[in-house]
Amino acid sequence: MKCRRCKAPALIDVRRHNAAFCAECFAHHCREQVRRAIDGFDMIHPGERVLVAVSGGKDSLGIWDLLVDLGYECDGLYLGLGIGEYSIASGRYARVFAASRGLRLVEVDIPEEYGFDIETAATTVRRSPCGACGLSKRHLFNHHALAGGYDVVVTGHNLDDEAGVLLGNVLRWDAPYLGRQYPVLPAAPGFVRKVKPLVRLSEREMAAYCVMRGIDYIVDECPMAEGNRHLAYKEALNALEQRSPGAKANFLFGFLERGHERFAGDAAEERAGLVACAVCGSPTTGEVCAFCRMGERVRHGAAPAPPRSH
Ligand code: Q46
Ligand code: ZN
């Protein structure tokens, strides 16, 4: 097996591209995929301040590394979720990576700053842990990006993540979610732009990228991930990909190119008519946003304190 680009012995094959690469050319391939995603979807403009949502896993550390290599000015934001040993270890990986590259990592510890951890919040409001976690992450990344004057938030969702979520949304024909599923969510009053520059790279490519670049990341899955429906969707897509390389990318990019527009109206309708949360100012449909309501209930009905910004 030879590298497609330089003909040296290859270290990894990428079946959906019918290609194999040596370590150096593989890093070039990953950068190219990110560059094409950014240009193709108009994600980040020159001179903008970028905030990377960092979890300590391969995708978030990998995209931070790739963006810095591509010349973007990016800081990281790590959220301490209070998920026991998993959170302690993942924070450590994020800090070590940032220090090794001389990058700025902003840290927000949810139990310390907001008085609850994800598991307790989930039980109190009778949501799944991932539901409570997702709500907290969306809220806090947006809140801290606005407070810190960033233009855009980058998340490490990869091709497998996005295709898995799409499959779930299609199985339920969830029109507002389908309308929102796009690698760029534009800025709106109270919302910073959110982008997913890893949409053209698979989970396997990101793991290989980190190994080849010497990036140490948390390999253990979050203990709350069990029972997450998306895992089943990803497995189903992996079985299809195995039989027919490229199926996953065709499914996702076919939707983005030909299907998404048909649902865009459903998502826009949802964003219209939002008002500012009485506690934190974030856009919401009710008087107090879901994040502040959740915190309030966990703290046993105490009036929610306005969140501190960094
Ligand atoms: S961290 Fe949070 Fe994930 Fe853990 S609780 Fe679920 S959503 S699985 S990416
Ligand atoms: Zn709020």
Side-chain angles (χ1 to χ4, degrees):
M1 201 166 67
K2 281 189 173 158
C3 172
R4 174 159 88 178
R5 215 166 142 248
C6 75
K7 309 296 175 221
L11 279 180
I12 181 167
D13 67 324
V14 184
R15 282 175 73 203
R16 75 173 187 287
H17 288 300
N18 207 6
F21 300 101
C22 69
E24 204 177 302
C25 294
F26 179 66
H28 175 269
H29 155 80
C30 292
R31 277 195 298 274
E32 273 305 292
Q33 296 305 314
V34 169
R35 196 188 52 73
R36 283 181 63 184
I38 291 176
D39 292 352
F41 292 103
D42 200 18
M43 291 182 177
I44 312 173
H45 311 128
E48 286 189 329
R49 289 188 65 220
V50 180
L51 186 65
V52 181
V54 176
S55 71
K58 63 186 186 320
D59 301 306
S60 59
L61 296 183
I63 187 59
W64 200 2
D65 186 69
L66 283 157
L67 289 174
V68 169
D69 256 17
L70 285 166
Y72 292 99
E73 191 199 310
C74 352
D75 296 339
L77 172 57
Y78 173 80
L79 295 181
L81 304 169
I83 307 180
E85 188 48 42
Y86 170 78
S87 283
I88 295 169
S90 56
R92 222 167 22 225
Y93 283 102
R95 263 168 245 131
V96 167
F97 174 80
S100 74
R101 301 285 198 280
L103 297 168
R104 176 165 183 256
L105 180 70
V106 180
E107 292 194 50
V108 176
D109 190 72
I110 299 181
E112 221 172 77
E113 302 217 9
Y114 296 91
F116 63 85
D117 62 79
I118 294 304
E119 200 174 359
T120 315
T123 319
T124 311
V125 299
R126 294 206 184 92
R127 270 183 182 243
S128 68
C130 293
C133 184
L135 164 66
S136 306
K137 286 185 193 167
R138 277 192 302 279
H139 175 87
L140 291 172
F141 284 131
N142 188 61
H143 175 80
H144 287 277
L146 286 175
Y150 292 92
D151 301 291
V152 53
V153 168
V154 164
T155 57
H157 295 97
N158 59 38
L159 170 59
D160 296 64
D161 297 326
E162 290 302 287
V165 170
L166 175 61
L167 181 56
N169 289 340
V170 167
L171 289 175
R172 290 189 305 279
W173 287 115
D174 192 322
Y177 273 71
L178 285 166
R180 243 181 283 149
Q181 181 159 13
Y182 205 65
V184 178
L185 213 53
F191 291 108
V192 73
R193 188 186 331 132
K194 287 207 301 193
V195 302
K196 301 171 179 172
L198 285 186
V199 70
R200 302 181 60 89
L201 287 165
S202 69
E203 214 154 277
R204 178 172 164 268
E205 283 164 290
M206 288 317 293
Y209 177 82
C210 286
V211 170
M212 289 185 203
R213 297 277 293 180
I215 299 172
D216 240 355
Y217 60 89
I218 186 152
V219 177
D220 295 342
E221 282 280 334
C222 167
M224 308 278 174
E226 242 174 78
N228 187 331
R229 302 194 290 278
H230 291 139
L231 292 182
Y233 302 144
K234 279 185 177 181
E235 276 167 25
L237 288 167
N238 281 342
L240 291 172
E241 183 77 16
Q242 189 66 30
R243 285 195 172 196
S244 133
K248 218 183 277 179
N250 287 339
F251 175 55
L252 179 62
F253 285 94
F255 167 74
L256 295 177
E257 282 155 26
R258 297 189 295 280
H260 171 262
E261 214 182 318
R262 299 168 193 230
F263 296 94
D266 292 88
E269 236 172 69
E270 275 209 337
R271 268 196 172 191
L274 294 178
V275 293
C277 166
V279 179
C280 73
S282 295
T284 174
T285 46
E287 197 186 322
V288 175
C289 77
F291 178 80
C292 290
R293 266 186 287 135
M294 185 166 76
E296 192 176 3
R297 283 184 60 188
V298 184
R299 292 185 294 265
H300 299 294
R308 282 183 272 155
S309 53
H310 56 92

